[in-house]
Amino acid sequence: MLKGSLGLIALSSLLLSGTAFAQEKIKVGVTATLEGTYTVLGEDGIRGFQTALNVLGKKVGDKELEFVIASTDATPDSAVRAVRKLIEQDKVQILLSPLSGDEGIAVKNFAKTHPELTFINAASGAQETTYVDPAPNFFRYNMDGAQWQVGLGKYAYDEKKYRKIATVGEDYSFIYTQVFGLVLEFCGAGGQVTNRQWVPLGTKDFASVIAALPDDVDAIYLGLGGADAVNFLNQYQQAGGKAHLMGGSIMIDQTILSSKGNAKNALIGTLAASGQADTWEDPGWQKFVKDYQDAFPPNKRFPSPSLLATNYYGSTMALILALRQVNGDLSDNQSKYKAALAKIELDAPNGKIKLDANRQAIGTNFVTEVVDDGKGALFSKVVKVIPNVNQTLGYDPAVFAKIGLPSRTVPECKKY
Amino acid sequence: MTRFVERHPAWALIVIIAIAVALWLIFAVWPPGLEDAIGRKRVFLNAVFNGITLGGLYFLVASGFTLIFGLMRNVNLAHGSLYLFGGYVGYAISASTGSWILAFIVAFILTALVGVLLQVLVFRRMEGQDLRQTMVTIGLSIVFADLMLWACGGDFYQIQTPNWLIGPIELPLITAVKSSGEPVYLRYPLVRLVIFLASVIIGVAMWLALNRTRIGMIIRAGVDDRDILAATGVRIQIVFVLVFALGAGLAGIAGVVGGTFQSLSPGEDIRFLLASLVVVIVGGMGSIPGAALGALIIGLAEQLGSVYIPTYAIVVTFLIMVLVLALRPQGLLARR
């Protein structure tokens, strides 16, 4: 809190020292959660971003890209502060921001006050960001939390025969969106979600939450991330918890699966869904994993990129490739660049991505199960791949609109 | 105690009734109507135990804070950094040697040393200048936070719980009765009980040291009037250094405890600084029993809040602080 109130620290600027010729530069601002509960997620996001720069390079025609990185702490006001600082002090022209759900909604609203600039979402996944009153200059190349849960509810019901589940999640928009996707599908298949517990982001002591978990359910769904997820698992183990677990997209992710200590072992066998799977055979994915691994020494990275690294990679890829299509032309309030961004189809590591009319990604989703690789490292193994997942999750848009926006109690557990 | 009853008979009655109700809630088998109204007894008992054990951790952090304030009138806002530093040291020791106990000892010694350095290099140079000390410690806490981020990264560290402490034990408290008439006992994580016990022992030892030993007498005299104490020939600077070392060392121990049943990461320093500030404001600045009472109240409020009013759980602790500041601004157990 103290740190946040003292303002934002531009952690580093990836400046290349001036070459002999003065080149024209394009300034890009990047934000990531490098403080607070989601620090690890932000750090890996930046790794994904750097991997993309290694692969694609920083040149657009005869112009050079220059990046300024700012830190946030997953709260909406910290994100807006960081973005404002990047625009007003560093004079960036393009933004790659933000990482977390609530931040995304705030930055999208802020984007409307700067219609001349371009905002490319880095990794945030709240549904509202692009679904409700979208900003014309805000582009999102990752799916939202609900899209990332597609396939999970049906797989749990049909294959695992789970009939009753309860959920525990962090109390903010991204997790609402994740639970929204899960509940819609699981209840649609005939299952029951008996109890939804919400804990504040940054909860340390989960013991009472764990004690309040119901006994009479087949599985417990965890929608936690970062430090919260690690704390939960640690205390769950100390309390002797034995239930079947299911996980959200940032719960079953290298940020948690490669945390220190043995609490993560409670996750072996856990069913989850996400925009990526660590062990996917696809050559594009395998190449990305290798690029990521080659870019950093093993103790400075995860064994395999996290969802955040993948999202930052995809967003950076869109940023650079579209910029190359227009040859770095940002004239006329960047209108050519925005048109190129809206049209571009990405061959991202986690499958093909294209944007819908709201500039929201349509992409591929993965149902996964956590496996031990035999040497103590945990990975998510793909059990099902679902291509072409759109924001209305395959529902008719009119029906989808009736369900309501994700919140603590929406959607109801029924078939829509 | 008797004086309190004589002076405030109505309040005493309320307190006694509240204690009686709490004891009944803990020990009795709940009738079905009550379970329908406020949920299962297991949840309630767990929340109470968690509140008490979390209070134990808060007490460890806050007691050092309040001790330093009581004697030296230093508001050491780098106290949270000492907590986090102790935790990281504890992690390094337990990861390299595998010994949990050794982690405590080394963390205590190293943070105590940092405390000594702080006292000698910083506080002694600006004695009696409250505002300057506060500003300098805020600055130091930011510097320490960034140094630790640089050294340890943003990762979460967890100190490995020793094998003999993993898992729950059954307590002789009945949470429910099965339909067959067989009682169900409360299962509770052993490690939290052990940690709570340790903080009680430390608290009692501190109380004894303050009230039954010569050095404790000197410290208490220093709290009351340090100029007169210095005039009687006590080398007050040495006492200051000792108390600062002890207070810092306790924060270091708390770091190891926190790293064992929660986790260590950047930002924890500020969280625990805030927690200990709230605890000592509620309990009374400078009072060890006050820190214990404050820690207990805040721990219970956090845990019961997170179960029964999850949406507003964060607000509850601050509400308590506001209430205390409004009704008894010197804190619940402060003498002045």
Side-chain angles (χ1 to χ4, degrees):
Chain A
M1 194 169 284
L2 202 65
K3 256 173 34 183
S5 70
L6 279 166
L8 299 147
I9 308 147
L11 278 174
S12 63
S13 62
L14 303 168
L15 260 170
L16 274 190
S17 54
T19 41
F21 305 97
Q23 284 175 318
E24 201 185 329
K25 291 196 165 153
I26 295 175
K27 282 191 114 177
V28 180
V30 184
T31 75
T33 54
L34 298 169
E35 294 165 59
T37 312
Y38 281 179
T39 307
V40 174
L41 284 71
E43 287 178 344
D44 205 49
I46 293 296
R47 277 180 220 126
F49 161 75
Q50 278 166 346
T51 309
L53 294 187
N54 290 349
V55 172
L56 298 169
K58 286 192 220 167
K59 280 227 190 295
V60 175
D62 54 354
K63 292 176 186 157
E64 179 88 26
L65 291 176
E66 183 186 327
F67 294 93
V68 185
I69 299 178
S71 165
T72 70
D73 63 7
T75 58
D77 54 321
S78 75
V80 170
R81 259 201 317 269
V83 168
R84 195 189 285 273
K85 179 246 170 204
L86 289 169
I87 294 173
E88 290 170 5
Q89 285 181 23
D90 301 310
K91 311 277 182 225
V92 301
Q93 296 147 289
I94 303 168
L95 280 128
L96 187 70
S97 164
L99 181 140
S100 180
D102 279 1
E103 296 184 340
I105 298 172
V107 169
K108 179 261 292 188
N109 286 327
F110 182 77
K112 291 180 185 162
T113 65
H114 281 280
E116 75 284 6
L117 304 180
T118 305
F119 289 73
I120 295 169
N121 180 65
S124 82
Q127 186 189 73
E128 202 181 315
T129 311
T130 52
Y131 184 68
V132 183
D133 194 16
N137 54 339
F138 189 94
F139 301 82
R140 179 153 77 182
Y141 294 92
N142 59 265
M143 298 198 289
D144 72 21
Q147 290 173 284
W148 277 331
Q149 296 295 277
V150 164
L152 179 61
K154 219 167 146 34
Y155 192 87
Y157 189 88
D158 291 343
E159 308 291 327
K160 293 276 177 179
K161 310 285 176 207
Y162 295 158
R163 291 296 176 263
K164 271 162 97 181
I165 60 171
T167 72
V168 180
E170 285 158 340
D171 198 12
Y172 78 102
S173 57
F174 172 64
I175 308 293
Y176 297 159
T177 310
Q178 290 242 288
V179 171
F180 177 96
L182 169 82
V183 169
L184 215 53
E185 197 175 294
F186 187 69
C187 293
Q192 261 186 308
V193 178
T194 53
N195 186 10
R196 300 178 208 183
Q197 281 194 62
W198 301 102
V199 298
L201 191 64
T203 297
K204 293 294 162 189
D205 207 321
F206 283 94
S208 297
V209 174
I210 290 166
L213 293 172
D215 309 315
D216 56 346
V217 291
D218 300 316
I220 289 163
Y221 170 88
L222 304 174
L224 307 167
D228 293 358
V230 176
N231 283 327
F232 179 92
L233 290 172
N234 193 16
Q235 290 161 32
Y236 187 70
Q237 186 194 36
Q238 284 168 3
K242 293 261 182 317
H244 291 295
L245 298 176
M246 288 165 71
S249 302
I250 53 173
M251 180 85 203
I252 305 305
D253 183 73
Q254 285 300 322
T255 51
I256 312 301
L257 296 182
S258 53
S259 64
K260 297 181 174 64
N262 59 8
K264 63 186 185 228
N265 291 342
L267 289 176
I268 294 173
T270 297
L271 195 62
S274 178
Q276 68 172 49
D278 296 343
T279 62
W280 196 29
E281 304 276 311
D282 181 83
W285 172 256
Q286 291 297 338
K287 177 180 178 305
F288 168 56
V289 173
K290 187 153 184 339
D291 288 338
Y292 170 90
Q293 289 169 342
D294 291 346
F296 308 95
N299 59 343
K300 297 274 182 205
R301 59 164 168 85
F302 297 129
S304 163
S306 72
L307 180 62
L308 288 308
T310 310
N311 288 342
Y312 269 74
Y313 184 93
S315 315
T316 312
M317 199 171 159
L319 188 153
I320 295 178
L321 294 184
L323 207 49
R324 282 188 183 149
Q325 280 185 10
V326 298
N327 206 13
D329 181 1
L330 294 179
S331 60
D332 189 22
N333 287 340
Q334 311 188 355
S335 58
K336 276 190 201 154
Y337 181 46
K338 283 171 194 161
L341 278 172
K343 278 206 311 281
I344 198 166
E345 289 194 16
L346 288 185
D347 218 349
N350 54 345
K352 290 216 183 323
I353 293 172
K354 60 173 188 248
L355 297 193
D356 65 13
N358 286 350
R359 293 159 300 285
Q360 160 64 37
I362 299 170
T364 310
N365 205 44
F366 301 83
V367 180
T368 64
E369 215 172 292
V370 178
V371 290
D372 186 340
D373 74 345
K375 294 179 222 126
L378 303 187
F379 291 98
S380 63
K381 184 176 77 122
V382 61
V383 294
K384 199 168 177 207
V385 182
I386 302 140
N388 284 323
V389 177
N390 65 8
Q391 193 168 29
T392 57
L393 313 175
Y395 282 83
D396 179 74
V399 177
F400 191 75
K402 276 201 203 105
I403 298 171
L405 291 176
S407 75
R408 292 191 185 118
T409 49
V410 174
E412 281 173 57
C413 187
K414 64 175 191 184
K415 206 174 165 74
Y416 281 92
Chain B
M1 192 68 181
T2 45
R3 223 170 24 162
F4 178 76
V5 175
E6 281 162 17
R7 279 170 56 194
H8 308 282
W11 275 110
L13 189 67
I14 291 174
V15 168
I16 289 170
I17 291 175
I19 292 174
V21 169
L23 286 178
W24 182 81
L25 282 172
I26 291 171
F27 288 104
V29 176
W30 288 13
L34 188 64
E35 297 227 331
D36 292 343
I38 59 171
R40 286 166 303 160
K41 187 182 174 192
R42 179 169 71 99
V43 174
F44 170 78
L45 268 188
N46 260 295
V48 169
F49 270 76
N50 294 334
I52 295 173
T53 47
L54 184 63
L57 173 59
Y58 284 166
F59 171 72
L60 283 181
V61 194
S63 57
F65 187 75
T66 204
L67 195 66
I68 291 171
F69 175 81
L71 182 64
M72 290 173 258
R73 297 280 171 266
N74 287 346
V75 182
N76 176 20
L77 293 183
H79 199 70
S81 315
L82 294 172
Y83 165 89
L84 192 57
F85 176 71
Y88 281 138
V89 169
Y91 175 82
I93 297 299
S94 103
S96 59
T97 66
S99 165
W100 193 55
I101 305 291
L102 192 65
F104 279 97
I105 297 168
V106 178
F108 180 85
I109 293 172
L110 285 186
T111 36
L113 275 179
V114 174
V116 169
L117 287 179
L118 270 180
Q119 168 63 19
V120 173
L121 298 177
V122 179
F123 289 107
R124 189 176 290 180
R125 288 170 193 280
M126 43 189 81
E127 227 173 81
Q129 307 173 53
D130 294 354
L131 193 60
R132 223 170 128 195
Q133 287 178 344
T134 311
M135 299 313 272
V136 167
T137 49
I138 290 181
L140 281 175
S141 75
I142 296 170
V143 173
F144 286 154
D146 275 1
L147 284 177
M148 286 188 282
L149 183 63
W150 173 61
C152 307
D155 233 336
F156 316 112
Y157 289 87
Q158 265 174 349
I159 298 170
Q160 198 73 50
T161 318
N163 279 333
W164 51 276
L165 284 178
I166 291 181
I169 55 163
E170 279 198 354
L171 295 178
L173 291 170
I174 298 172
T175 58
V177 179
K178 283 187 190 163
S179 48
S180 58
E182 192 187 335
V184 182
Y185 291 102
L186 178 70
R187 289 163 63 80
Y188 197 76
L190 180 60
V191 61
R192 294 184 75 114
L193 290 178
V194 171
I195 283 166
F196 173 67
L197 210 66
S199 64
V200 169
I201 291 171
I202 289 175
V204 171
M206 235 157 70
W207 187 85
L208 284 177
L210 277 179
N211 288 287
R212 294 282 184 273
T213 65
R214 195 179 133 70
I215 184 85
M217 198 168 70
I218 292 175
I219 292 174
R220 276 183 298 137
V223 170
D224 285 342
D225 194 328
R226 69 179 176 207
D227 296 337
I228 294 288
L229 179 68
T232 60
V234 173
R235 297 179 66 185
I236 191 92
Q237 290 299 346
I238 293 181
V239 179
F240 282 2
V241 167
L242 268 181
V243 169
F244 212 111
L246 177 66
L250 281 173
I253 288 188
V256 182
V257 170
T260 306
F261 78 89
Q262 300 185 354
S263 67
L264 301 163
S265 60
E268 287 296 271
D269 44 349
I270 305 299
R271 200 172 75 86
F272 272 88
L273 174 67
L274 203 66
S276 42
L277 272 173
V278 173
V279 163
V280 297
I281 287 171
V282 169
M285 283 294 243
S287 151
I288 298 282
L293 182 68
L296 191 65
I297 291 176
I298 297 302
L300 279 173
E302 261 185 32
Q303 290 296 322
L304 288 171
S306 77
V307 171
Y308 292 107
I309 39 170
T311 315
Y312 306 105
I314 308 182
V315 191
V316 176
T317 48
F318 293 104
L319 263 183
I320 291 174
M321 189 175 89
V322 168
L323 273 179
V324 169
L325 281 176
L327 299 176
R328 201 177 150 80
Q330 71 273 42
L332 294 176
L333 292 186
R335 278 187 301 158
R336 281 167 289 189

